[in-house]
Amino acid sequence: MANSLKPMHSSRISGFYKQTVAERQASLAQFLGQSIDNVRQLGDGAGFGIEIADVLVENAVGVFGLPLGIACNFRVNGRDRLVPMVIEESSVIAAASNAARLLRNEEQGIVAEASAPVMIGQLQVMDIPDIERGSQRILADKERLIELANRTRPTLLARGGGARDLVVRVLHSKDHGSMIVVHLHVDVCDAMGANIINTMMEALAPEVEELSSGRVYLKILSNLTDLRTVRVRGAVPVARLSRPEMDGVEVAQRIERASVFAEVDPYRAATHNKGIMNGIDAVLLATGQDFRAVEAGAHAYAARSGQYSSLSRWRYRDGALHGEMELPLAVGIVGGITRVHPIVQRLMEWMGIREAAELAEMTAAVGLAQNLAAILALSTEGIQRGHMSLHARNIAIQAGASTAHVDEVAERMRRDNRVSEGYAREIVAEIETREIAFRRAASL
Ligand code: MEV
């Protein structure tokens, strides 16, 4: 590789946020062992033009940009990672990096474990003369149906995946009576699996109609992928949580209380889980995943007990704050746009993600860290101070500050504790007056 730098293996980069964009690109190149030129191309959209947009969606008229940042300090399952995140909200990437630093240790760091990649397909069968008999006949022919599904995807079978099981559920609707719902469980290997599942379900429909003497209506995957989950856990020694105004144990106990609040209250759980998904969605976007599918699955899973609750749980014990979370995470490293979108392709290659499970584990680890960052801030100084200080740059831009003056305007707003567009406009006007005066003086 021309001009490649010698790779650096620690993701612990202090002061990354203070570096200039060029310096950050150089740090990233160094970590990855890539040439700086390669990494720099990320800054210009890396060749994602209207031609590709036109292939991906209908009625394309343009390409829409979002910031791509790097979260530092992550160690997941013993491997250091710089994690790409695509998100428009300020402070998310900095918060993830901060929490990753707290959750870091010399051993595994954040521990994440993905289950087998088993997805669920559904067939909705109605208008069945005898539900009991219909169910029995479908179940009796289960092996043949599984084989039939597998015949649609010989390559999946060759890779060690394929349909594994078939389950029959009987559900009741007050105004439409009973229906059979057939679930097919399929190991989709490294794919997200939507296409595989949908093809299989369509192939099974005529057979299931015949066996049940009913009619198949919907044939589609379920986004509640509760057979394809990731468990993730991490711990922070209390000493790392201490701050001048509050001892570490007190911070840990407050975080535990924040967790309990989300565990018992759906109103709080929705916001708590949104914080988790801030991190998860940002990684999913950067890696070209169907983030809507993961969102749907995560929230449905959060309500699996019948009451919507928090996905994560934090407890203080034995001198440390322990966090854990389990959620469904259907991601793929083949198919979708992973091999089409030039930036996604590049990021995936650079991160050296070898399996979908590895991507799922890294993503869940970011979700847990993001959650910790949010409830740590909420349990101590609140989020507005940090948030507004990062937000100040956005406001400066909105108020018309030129690139050369964004930092000055943001800094003044922070210093004066007045982060608002109105004040930003006043500062911009002041700077403009100062510059005019300066130019006049220079021309005399
Ligand atoms: C903001 O995007 C996310 C938070 O509201 C999450 C939370 O409240 O836990 C800060």
Side-chain angles (χ1 to χ4, degrees), residues 89 92 268 271-276 278 371 374-375 378 383:
E89 186 175 329
V92 168
R268 172 57 204 154
T271 325
H272 178 100
N273 291 343
K274 190 271 183 180
I276 294 170
N278 270 346
N371 179 223
I375 56 177
L378 289 167
I383 57 162

Side-chain angles (χ1 to χ4, degrees), residues 322-333:
H322 297 263
E324 59 186 25
M325 171 166 80
E326 182 174 353
L327 83 166
L329 243 166
V331 294
I333 58 164

Side-chain angles (χ1 to χ4, degrees), residues 27 45 141 149 366 431:
S27 299
D141 235 357
V366 176
I431 292 174

Side-chain angles (χ1 to χ4, degrees), residues 117-162:
V118 176
M119 298 284 284
I120 299 169
Q122 295 193 295
L123 289 182
Q124 176 200 23
V125 200
M126 294 184 83
D127 313 332
I128 310 163
D130 184 338
I131 293 272
E132 185 59 34
R133 191 175 136 77
S135 307
Q136 278 168 7
R137 290 196 65 200
I138 295 169
L139 276 178
D141 235 357
K142 171 170 151 169
E143 294 311 321
R144 188 177 64 84
L145 291 170
I146 290 177
E147 203 187 307
L148 186 74
N150 279 334
R151 247 185 267 146
T152 65
R153 290 285 171 158
T155 49
L156 180 66
L157 224 55
R159 275 188 277 132

Side-chain angles (χ1 to χ4, degrees), residues 48-305:
F48 189 92
I50 184 70
E51 329 72 54
I52 297 179
D54 197 31
V55 175
L56 290 177
V57 302
E58 310 72 37
N59 305 359
V61 292
V63 177
F64 183 96
L66 280 172
L68 163 65
I70 295 290
C72 308
N73 308 332
F74 273 91
R75 174 174 290 193
V76 183
N77 294 339
R79 184 165 171 190
D80 271 37
R81 292 198 175 276
L82 288 182
V83 184
M85 297 176 77
V86 167
I87 189 157
E88 88 301 344
E89 186 175 329
S90 55
S91 85
V92 168
I93 303 175
S97 305
N98 255 333
R101 185 173 46 79
L102 296 174
L103 290 160
R104 234 181 125 75
N105 57 35
E106 290 307 312
E107 290 130 42
Q108 296 294 298
I110 302 172
V111 177
E113 195 185 343
S115 68
V118 176
M119 298 284 284
I120 299 169
Q122 295 193 295
L123 289 182
Q124 176 200 23
V125 200
M126 294 184 83
D127 313 332
I128 310 163
D130 184 338
I131 293 272
E132 185 59 34
R133 191 175 136 77
S135 307
Q136 278 168 7
R137 290 196 65 200
I138 295 169
L139 276 178
D141 235 357
K142 171 170 151 169
E143 294 311 321
R144 188 177 64 84
L145 291 170
I146 290 177
E147 203 187 307
L148 186 74
N150 279 334
R151 247 185 267 146
T152 65
R153 290 285 171 158
T155 49
L156 180 66
L157 224 55
R159 275 188 277 132
R164 296 270 185 263
D165 200 4
L166 185 141
V167 174
V168 171
R169 301 164 63 215
V170 176
L171 302 179
H172 307 281
S173 146
K174 267 200 200 105
D175 49 348
H176 283 277
S178 300
M179 66 178 109
I180 289 178
V181 178
V182 176
H183 278 198
L184 186 70
H185 299 172
V186 185
D187 180 332
V188 295
C189 294
D190 282 321
M192 184 272 185
N195 279 329
I196 297 173
I197 300 283
N198 296 341
T199 309
M200 288 184 170
M201 301 326 283
E202 289 188 8
L204 290 188
E207 300 294 323
V208 168
E209 282 194 336
E210 179 139 355
L211 289 165
S212 63
S213 307
R215 178 175 292 178
V216 170
Y217 287 88
L218 302 194
K219 327 162 188 70
I220 185 77
L221 93 162
S222 168
N223 285 126
L224 175 51
T225 64
D226 58 359
L227 299 176
R228 191 181 194 179
T229 57
V230 184
R231 271 172 194 271
V232 57
R233 64 188 150 83
V236 186
V238 278
R240 285 198 195 158
L241 294 171
S242 75
R243 46 197 63 220
E245 72 288 0
M246 211 184 286
D247 138 70
V249 174
E250 160 97 31
V251 176
Q253 286 169 339
R254 284 179 178 226
I255 292 175
E256 176 166 335
R257 282 173 171 75
S259 174
V260 169
F261 182 11
E263 288 161 33
V264 300
D265 177 24
Y267 287 92
R268 172 57 204 154
T271 325
H272 178 100
N273 291 343
K274 190 271 183 180
I276 294 170
M277 300 314 287
N278 270 346
I280 290 186
D281 285 345
V283 179
L284 295 177
L285 272 166
T287 55
Q289 305 299 316
D290 182 345
F291 61 94
R292 288 89 54 212
V294 174
E295 278 277 344
H299 295 291
Y301 197 69
R304 68 194 181 285
S305 71

